[in-house]
Amino acid sequence: DYTGYGKSQGTPNEDSCYADIEAAYRYLLSVRKFQPEQIVLYGRSLGSGPSCYLAAKSAREGRSVAGVILQSPLLSAYRVAFNFRFTCLGDKFPNIDYAPSIRCPVFIVHGTQDEVVPFWHGQELFLALQQVWRSKPFWVEGAGHNNIEALLRPTGAFVDKLLEFLDLHVSARRGRVRPPVVVPECVPAALRELGITNPMMRLDRMTTTHAMGRT
């Protein structure tokens, strides 16, 4: 848990969340010996803030993480309540300002009936990304803020979508550790490496494979 959240001690604040995710990232690099190209950030709701922050920072430092998954993300804290067209002084977790600096594929999941972080946050954040890093988003029809997993559990669609993103956009998933590749190029390359010659067949084949892995 981030500082001040869940069972963690301390007072919750933006800077502590950023420090926490940087500490976890350093642990993966220095202790577990992972490469940035092997790391995919996953941020849900408020967690989208630290994830966007670290993704943008790693890109600025010249070695981006492999990818980012954002579930029910917010544009910024103030924008949850007010549809500001700019970032106000004192606003927290300004993901919309970090998004243009991200240099890896980003997959956004958002419920169309989200009652906490409005659906348009996911849509606007998607548009704030550079076009070449936009993975096809997953807009979950009728889902709210806290029931996406439950709504999709009977079909397994949620897990299938996550695995499809990893398979097609993260080379380390296929045993090749290399820098992120723009979406228009990485998807065709992944299909070739996976031996899928007909893109129309990829969902059926990949979904079947993932379903077998869960049994």
Side-chain angles (χ1 to χ4, degrees), residues 144-161:
H145 192 71
N146 296 308
N147 68 343
I148 290 178
E149 294 89 342
L151 190 65
L152 299 177
R153 186 174 295 120
T155 64
F158 182 67
V159 173
D160 286 338
K161 286 290 187 180

Side-chain angles (χ1 to χ4, degrees), residues 24 45-46 48 106 119-120 132 138 145:
S45 190
L46 184 69
S48 62
V106 180
F119 174 46
W120 60 267
V132 293
F138 184 27
H145 192 71

